[in-house]
Amino acid sequence: MVGGIVQDDGNFYENDKRYIVWGANYWEAMNLGAQKTGNRNRLVRDLDKMKSMNINNLRIIAASEGPADSQKPVNVLMPEPGIYNDDMFKGLDYTLYQMKKRGMKAVMVLNNFWQWSGGFAQYVSWVKNTTIPIPPGYPENDSRVKNTWNDFVNYAAQFYTCDEYIDMWKKHIKTVINRKNVYTGKRYKDDDTIFSWEFANEPRQNNDGSLPMTDEFIEDISGYIKSLDKNHMVTLGSEAHPSIGKDVFLRENNHKNLDYSTTHIWVQNWNQYDPKNVTNSRMGSQNKPIIFEEYGMARDGWDGQDEYDPSTPATNRLKYFKAILNEVYKLTDKQIFQGQNFWAYSGEGRPASGDNRDLYLGDPAHEHPGWYGIYDKDTDMINFLKKMGKKFLKLN
């Protein structure tokens, strides 16, 4: 297998040795890697810093769609159906090229349920020629926001129901998988820098279950990816949201062409705060690896402190990371989990306002800048992650 990583009996292996995921979410990589509109010097320094933290796996976006929008990046990969921004594609090429130098693997996310990169809703908008019902987000005073989150979820979940949306997306999947990297000369499907193909960021049914992610949809897309690339693993990217339930999660992930599963925990977004509330059941009888793929916490926000200001302490976040990673370590040691990707690395990026806003933070453009991102100067957190990464990787 060119991809180098295989799964067997609930574990990942590389060259017959257990592979532990010690990773980060770094969605801004492609945008930073763009030569004309990005910041390659910062990308390289961010990668070097993460390498010093023992990070071996990055979850990155390999898709962004639609016109410019205040809740998405200034530059996207596919501004119109089938029309690509060459500078952005070269940014993805350059990211993989630099990751290869550092022995890092990339989870390539091929779509998004949420609006911050275009995603499902953009495909629906293109085909139906309707306006996306933008939900509340950042900026808080966005005059276009006249809808609820439920309105948006119902709109985006229509994506599962129409062959025209799905066929348009398949063309993108094929384009990315067959892409030849201009810096390495390798097609993505032959590049061992790639860890896996992920359907989308947090694909899910709508809230009342009337627009589910059907078994037929999952079989179709996972089989299509495998028909194009037999060298790399495939995963769904689902969050295992508690409101949707375990049975749906198990059904969605119980497909032969899905190699592993993922789970996310958002204690602030979901109004939960129990760092030990992590599943200890390895996908029931499916016996597939599972990655703790997203979790995070804001900076301290009490006593009048600004939780979005990089100078505000992050003592509560550090306590949370210590508690939750100690639990994930135990589960990884027991071969229940196979590692983690924290949300998210902002590196040298810093939030700003108005026209000076840095859109390339760990926080996507629809969220308040500085909410969850970890900066290169968050010394206590960086040192903890470096130490913890070394401990995790000894489980290899």
Side-chain angles (χ1 to χ4, degrees):
M1 175 177 275
V2 173
I5 307 295
V6 298
Q7 73 89 2
D8 183 54
D9 193 30
N11 291 298
F12 297 127
Y13 294 93
E14 182 178 31
N15 299 323
D16 298 323
K17 182 180 179 183
R18 190 181 178 203
Y19 177 91
I20 301 297
V21 173
W22 179 251
N25 284 273
Y26 189 59
W27 80 263
E28 64 267 40
M30 175 172 64
N31 291 75
L32 288 175
Q35 188 167 21
K36 296 177 182 176
T37 58
N39 186 338
R40 288 185 168 182
N41 289 333
R42 178 189 147 189
L43 172 69
V44 167
R45 291 191 298 269
D46 278 358
L47 291 175
D48 284 341
K49 185 73 170 182
M50 286 188 281
K51 181 65 177 177
S52 77
M53 295 156 61
N54 296 303
I55 287 172
N56 65 0
N57 189 289
L58 297 178
R59 183 171 176 250
I60 64 176
I61 281 285
S64 53
E65 304 84 15
D69 188 294
S70 64
Q71 292 196 13
K72 14 185 222 206
V74 173
N75 300 290
V76 298
L77 179 61
M78 188 169 62
E80 299 175 36
I83 306 299
Y84 287 91
N85 181 333
D86 186 59
D87 189 44
M88 290 290 288
F89 236 144
K90 287 179 180 176
L92 191 55
D93 291 346
Y94 189 76
T95 296
L96 293 171
Y97 167 62
Q98 291 293 339
M99 287 179 64
K100 173 71 171 178
K101 288 183 175 183
R102 292 159 179 80
M104 293 175 167
K105 303 287 186 185
V107 176
M108 302 282 275
V109 184
L110 294 166
N111 212 324
N112 196 347
F113 188 86
W114 307 112
Q115 76 275 24
W116 55 263
S117 65
F120 289 0
Q122 184 59 64
Y123 283 93
V124 174
S125 176
W126 274 332
V127 174
K128 297 184 73 172
N129 195 26
T130 53
T131 301
I132 298 171
I134 300 296
Y138 186 88
E140 289 89 348
N141 60 353
D142 192 333
S143 61
R144 299 170 307 143
V145 175
K146 304 184 188 334
N147 306 280
T148 66
W149 275 103
N150 195 52
D151 293 332
F152 175 80
V153 167
N154 284 330
Y155 186 87
Q158 294 177 74
F159 182 78
Y160 310 126
T161 67
C162 176
D163 289 343
E164 196 171 351
Y165 311 145
I166 295 168
D167 289 344
M168 189 183 292
W169 181 36
K170 282 182 174 179
K171 290 177 183 177
H172 172 69
I173 292 172
K174 185 176 183 179
T175 298
V176 174
I177 288 177
N178 287 321
R179 167 79 176 178
K180 181 181 282 189
N181 191 314
V182 299
Y183 301 101
T184 67
K186 283 189 175 183
R187 295 196 183 278
Y188 284 10
K189 64 183 179 182
D190 298 323
D191 188 350
D192 64 1
T193 308
I194 292 173
F195 179 80
S196 66
W197 301 109
E198 184 169 295
F199 272 41
N201 175 54
E202 299 187 335
R204 48 141 76 188
Q205 65 182 34
N206 67 336
N207 292 333
D208 67 9
S210 60
L211 292 170
M213 186 162 43
T214 65
D215 291 332
E216 291 77 15
F217 171 82
I218 297 169
E219 282 289 320
D220 181 28
I221 299 302
S222 60
Y224 182 67
I225 295 172
K226 289 286 190 179
S227 74
L228 296 172
D229 178 3
K230 294 179 172 58
N231 293 320
H232 295 97
M233 297 184 295
V234 177
T235 192
L236 196 57
S238 58
E239 60 196 314
H241 195 287
S243 70
I244 294 174
K246 181 179 178 181
D247 289 344
V248 173
F249 177 68
L250 291 172
R251 176 189 63 78
E252 290 176 345
N253 285 275
N254 187 24
H255 291 270
K256 63 183 179 182
N257 289 317
L258 296 179
D259 295 288
Y260 68 93
S261 304
T262 59
T263 185
H264 303 174
I265 291 181
W266 286 104
V267 293
Q268 191 168 352
N269 305 54
W270 299 351
N271 297 315
Q272 296 180 0
Y273 196 110
D274 183 0
K276 294 188 178 182
N277 185 22
V278 182
T279 179
N280 61 3
S281 173
R282 186 198 289 161
M283 293 304 298
S285 63
Q286 295 174 51
N287 205 31
K288 291 182 181 180
I290 186 166
I291 297 175
F292 190 43
E293 191 181 60
E294 282 190 24
Y295 62 97
M297 180 171 281
R299 308 180 86 83
D300 301 344
W302 50 78
D303 296 330
Q305 297 178 101
D306 182 355
E307 64 183 303
Y308 305 116
D309 187 334
S311 66
T312 298
T315 53
N316 216 37
R317 175 195 286 168
L318 183 58
K319 289 178 183 176
Y320 177 65
F321 269 57
K322 286 181 176 180
I324 207 161
L325 282 176
N326 280 331
E327 292 301 311
V328 175
Y329 176 81
K330 293 174 186 176
L331 294 171
T332 304
D333 187 29
K334 293 176 181 177
Q335 300 184 20
I336 296 170
F337 275 21
Q338 300 304 319
Q340 64 81 43
N341 295 80
F342 67 82
W343 187 281
Y345 192 65
S346 288
E348 294 183 5
R350 295 295 184 275
S353 60
D355 293 339
N356 295 319
R357 182 180 174 202
D358 185 347
L359 292 175
Y360 303 140
L361 300 172
D363 309 293
H366 77 299
E367 294 182 340
H368 199 297
W371 193 5
Y372 290 126
I374 294 172
Y375 302 111
D376 61 323
K377 300 301 184 183
D378 287 333
T379 305
D380 289 347
M381 179 63 81
I382 297 295
N383 288 339
F384 167 70
L385 290 171
K386 182 185 298 186
K387 179 180 177 181
M388 203 68 185
K390 187 175 182 180
K391 183 177 179 180
F392 264 76
L393 295 180
K394 285 183 178 178
L395 296 175
N396 282 348

